Amino acid sequence: MESSVAVIGDIDTVTGFKLGGVKKGYEVKDDKDAENALDELIDKKVSVIIITEKVADNIREYINKRIGSDVLPMIIEIPDKSGSSDRGSDPMGELIKRVIGVEMVK
């Protein structure tokens, strides 16, 4: 797996990360675009995929199906320009649990 980073999200998020040096960015307009971008990045063996919370929430089942319990690629969810989503679950906590096998408690 190559050590690279890519971003999936709205145009503003993708543009911001590209300005910051991330070479692979996928602007998505709907769930199918997001699923196709995720597939392409997994096939290219990208190690870190940054995705906006809203996009990730829309394709959550697909992400879980494609990634499963694998450690890589690491999916990092970030808020978009409208701010953080209200959620019942903590994706970062779930990532930590998946990677180290222990649930982090507050």
Side-chain angles (χ1 to χ4, degrees), residues 12-39:
D12 295 325
T13 301
V14 171
T15 301
F17 275 90
K18 282 189 169 187
L19 289 171
V22 173
K23 291 181 176 62
K24 295 177 184 162
Y26 295 82
E27 174 194 354
V28 296
K29 296 187 184 335
D30 57 32
D31 295 351
K32 192 64 178 164
D33 283 350
E35 291 172 359
N36 290 337
L38 183 66
D39 286 339

Side-chain angles (χ1 to χ4, degrees), residues 60-101:
R60 175 76 52 221
E61 288 182 27
Y62 191 76
I63 291 172
N64 292 338
K65 183 176 88 173
R66 286 288 288 157
I67 304 297
S69 62
D70 294 342
V71 174
L72 292 176
M74 182 181 301
I75 305 288
I76 300 175
E77 297 180 25
I78 61 167
D80 63 7
K81 65 183 177 186
S82 62
S84 187
S85 301
D86 288 333
R87 329 168 137 184
S89 67
D90 176 18
M92 191 57 74
E94 291 171 12
L95 173 67
I96 292 168
K97 183 177 179 182
R98 190 175 80 207
V99 171
I100 64 174

